[in-house]
Structure formats: C-alpha cells, structure tokens
C-alpha cells in the first residue's frame, strides 16, 4: 500500500522531471530543461514568495496561538471538556468545507461578516474585504491559521499534561512567579511536543492545497498561488506535466532542507 500511495508516485514524479512529457507519456530525456523553464518563468518567483509567506505566517502564528490556547485548556475550569471539543472542531472538519465557509463569510454581496456588521450598526454599506489579491491572500492565511491552531493546541496539550506537578510545587516553594515557571519549566519540558508539532506543521502547511484552491484557485494571474496550486495548474490545466514534476521536486528539496535545519538546530539547543 505504501508503495502504491507514496513510493511509486514519488519516484515517478522525480523521474518525470527529467523527461519531456506527452500527455502522461514519457518522452525523451531532456536533463534539467524542465527545471530551467520553471526557474526562469516570470511566475515562479512570485509563487515561491507566496509559498514562503504562507508557510511562515501560518506556522508561526498558529504555533504561538495554539500554545497559548493549550496553556488555557490545561487549567481546571468548569466546562473544560466542552471547550476542548469546540477547539477541535475546525481540525475535524475538512479543509474544503472550512475554506468554503470563509469564502462565504467575506463575500461582498451576501457574506455573513457584512451582514453581522450592518446588523450591529457598525457599517451602513457592504465592504469589499478582498479589494486586492494581497487582501485575498491575507484571508487565506487567516483561514490557514484558524484550521491549524487545534492541531498545535492538542499536540502541545499532550506535552503539558505529562509534566509532573511536583516541578511547579517546588518552584512555588522557591518563590517563582508565573512567568518564571512558564519559561523555566513549561517551555523546556514541552519543547519536544512543540518541535514535533512545528515540523509536521511546516510539512502540512507547505503542501496545503484545499484552502487556496477553494477560495481563489490562485487567481488572479497566479498572484495567490502557492507551489502546490501552481504545479496543479501546470499539470492539469496547461498540460506541462514535466514542468509540474520539476516544481514538485523543487518543493520537496526546499521542504527537506527547512525541516532538517529546524530539527538539527532544535536538537542542538536541547543538548546545550
């Protein structure tokens, strides 16, 4: 099963990047020509920039907010189980549904955001929340953060619950305040869980397709495209399977380098 779903597509995609493709039929070997076409394309630099911005914003903000939320949910309070169930709901719902809801919310004509603000008397006329491609992309990032927070939250929460309460009791006896406990006990002990969550987050977010595709399909003129939606268009809209395979190889290499550097740097800090 792993061969069919993972290894075979990975190997074929890597091989196709070095051949001229004719409607999914492998043609002659052309070396790095597909890579050259991709890297010299006017759109690729913009798409790569979008991918970096998308990944950084979603991963960093979802990690920070997810960690804060995990700290709150780790406390004892009435209705904690209900709160945890509510938090996990966005993660349990498919990304296509989530993105469709967000697209409905910000619609200028019938979006629920305009309807709510008009009902509250805050605005009189509908506001165009997406006047530019950059604004559309910002909303896509917001949606990505929203659906990623639960994953970080519950991964971190599992780490928080494994911390022995005696550490905090000893710190209290020594006169440590909340922030000293947080940065001297909580953060160091929960770092392994945060590291795993961050690495997986980088992979998931970098390869995320449904949110961008559902809201904008990368339009207009690929100004909201990421590498994943861009290679999808190359393969299935433009019939350039070889170039699409080259983009996938480039994306894989970028992801491998980033994940490796993050893991190595984190482990070194942990050893120090």
């Amino acid at each position: 099963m792993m061969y069919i779903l993972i290894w075979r597509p990975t190997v074929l995609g890597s091989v196709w990047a070095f051949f001229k493709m004719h409607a999914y039929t492998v043609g002659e070997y052309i070396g790095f020509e597909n890579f050259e076409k991709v890297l010299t394309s006017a759109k690729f630099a913009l798409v790569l920039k979008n991918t970096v911005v998308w990944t950084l914003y979603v991963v960093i903000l979802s990690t920070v907010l997810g960690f804060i939320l995990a700290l709150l949910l780790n406390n004892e309070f009435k209705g904690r189980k209900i709160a945890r169930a509510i938090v996990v709901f966005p993660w349990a719902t498919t990304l296509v549904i989530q993105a469709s809801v967000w697209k409905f919310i910000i619609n200028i004509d019938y979006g629920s955001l305009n309807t709510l603000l008009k009902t509250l008397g805050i605005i009189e006329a509908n506001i165009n929340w997406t006047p530019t491609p950059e604004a559309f992309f910002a909303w896509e990032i917001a949606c990505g953060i929203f659906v990623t927070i639960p994953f970080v939250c519950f991964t971190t929460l599992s780490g928080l619950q494994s911390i022995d309460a005696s550490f905090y009791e000893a710190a209290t006896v020594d006169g440590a305040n909340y922030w000293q406990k947080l940065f001297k006990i909580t953060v160091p002990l929960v770092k392994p869980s945060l590291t795993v969550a961050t690495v997986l987050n980088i992979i998931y977010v970098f390869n995320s397709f449904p949110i961008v595709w559902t809201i904008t399909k990368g339009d207009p003129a690929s100004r909201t495209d990421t590498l994943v939606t861009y290679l999808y268009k190359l393969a299935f809209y433009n019939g350039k399977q070889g170039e699409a395979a080259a983009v996938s190889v480039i994306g894989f290499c970028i992801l491998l380098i980033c994940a490796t550097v993050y893991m190595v740097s984190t482990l070194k800090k942990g050893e120090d």
Side-chain angles (χ1 to χ4, degrees), residues 118-144:
K118 286 168 71 175
T119 302
L120 296 174
I122 298 175
I123 61 174
E124 295 182 358
N126 288 348
I127 295 176
N128 182 8
W129 300 103
T130 54
T132 63
E134 290 75 18
F136 251 128
F137 196 56
W139 281 105
E140 290 172 342
I141 289 174
C143 179

Side-chain angles (χ1 to χ4, degrees), residues 93-110:
T93 311
T94 62
L95 291 179
V96 174
I97 294 176
Q98 291 281 353
S100 299
V101 170
W102 277 72
K103 187 176 182 180
F104 173 81
I105 289 172
I106 62 177
N107 186 277
I108 185 174
D109 296 316
Y110 51 80

Side-chain angles (χ1 to χ4, degrees), residues 123-214:
I123 61 174
E124 295 182 358
N126 288 348
I127 295 176
N128 182 8
W129 300 103
T130 54
T132 63
E134 290 75 18
F136 251 128
F137 196 56
W139 281 105
E140 290 172 342
I141 289 174
C143 179
I145 294 169
F146 178 77
V147 300
T148 308
I149 285 175
F151 169 72
V152 179
C153 175
F154 282 93
T155 304
T156 307
L157 191 59
S158 65
L160 289 172
Q161 292 180 331
S162 66
I163 299 175
D164 195 328
S166 62
F167 289 114
Y168 296 105
E169 293 170 0
T172 302
V173 172
D174 291 337
N177 59 33
Y178 174 80
W179 298 108
Q180 289 172 324
K181 293 177 186 177
L182 177 64
F183 290 106
K184 297 295 183 180
I185 299 175
T186 305
V187 173
L189 292 179
V190 85
K191 186 177 286 186
S193 298
L194 271 177
T195 301
V196 172
T198 303
V199 172
L200 292 177
N201 224 358
I202 291 171
I203 297 171
Y204 294 155
V205 173
F206 188 92
N207 290 320
S208 182
F209 176 84
I211 293 175
V212 175
W213 190 257
T214 301

Side-chain angles (χ1 to χ4, degrees), residues 41-59:
S41 170
K43 291 182 179 180
F44 183 75
L46 174 62
V47 171
L48 184 60
K49 176 189 172 184
N50 287 346
T51 306
V52 172
V53 171
W54 159 263
T55 305
L56 285 178
Y57 271 96
V58 174
V59 171

Side-chain angles (χ1 to χ4, degrees), residues 237-249:
Y237 279 51
N238 302 329
K240 299 178 180 179
Q241 288 80 18
E243 292 180 34
V247 173
S248 70
V249 172

Side-chain angles (χ1 to χ4, degrees), residues 62-81:
S62 65
T63 300
V64 173
L65 295 174
F67 178 71
I68 294 172
L69 189 58
L71 290 175
L72 295 174
L73 293 178
N74 194 45
N75 296 319
E76 291 285 348
F77 60 88
K78 189 176 181 179
R80 185 172 69 165
K81 291 184 179 180

